[in-house]
Amino acid sequence: MTSRRTTLLINVITAVGQFQRDLQNELTTEGIAAAEAEGRYCGRPPALAGARLEEVRSTFTDDGTSIAALARAHGVSRAAIRTALTGLLPGQPGPPSLIPTESGPAAPDDPAEATS
């Protein structure tokens, strides 16, 4: 009779543990969805974006300013400048939107190009 009680107790404890695990997974999924909706998921935001990014890219291409000088002027790391200059530096691939994927090349940004 002890083995039946022991089996029952183990099954109840296991069921409670599984319930807790399922609840934790559900809350994690909800938290990830909320973070994605607010734009806070999938890593740190880029150090340079928008107008600052365009300024760095144009200063590099037009004036030939060094990466270290750009980093000092904008108060970011040299790695952030290199990331901002993706596609402009020799030996680097183009921006991620221009890199072909396994399903084929990326779609053009301009819809007029898609029809021509």
Side-chain angles (χ1 to χ4, degrees):
M1 200 156 281
T2 306
S3 65
R4 290 182 197 157
R5 289 181 186 157
T6 304
T7 303
L8 175 65
L9 185 60
I10 289 174
N11 286 336
V12 168
I13 291 172
T14 303
V16 170
Q18 182 63 41
F19 173 74
Q20 182 180 7
R21 188 176 306 115
D22 291 342
L23 184 62
Q24 215 170 17
N25 288 340
E26 182 180 328
L27 292 174
T28 300
T29 303
E30 289 175 5
I32 290 172
E36 285 176 341
E38 295 175 7
R40 295 184 294 121
Y41 191 70
C42 288
R44 184 177 179 170
L48 297 169
R52 287 182 69 195
L53 174 65
E54 293 305 318
E55 180 184 344
V56 166
R57 291 177 72 87
S58 65
T59 304
F60 179 77
T61 56
D62 298 342
D63 302 339
T65 308
S66 71
I67 291 174
L70 287 169
R72 282 191 300 274
H74 291 278
V76 296
S77 68
R78 291 185 304 238
I81 297 295
R82 283 190 206 96
T83 300
L85 298 176
T86 300
L88 298 178
L89 297 174
Q92 275 192 342
S97 62
L98 299 178
I99 296 174
T101 60
E102 291 178 18
S103 61
D109 294 331
D110 186 4
E113 290 178 11
T115 58
S116 53

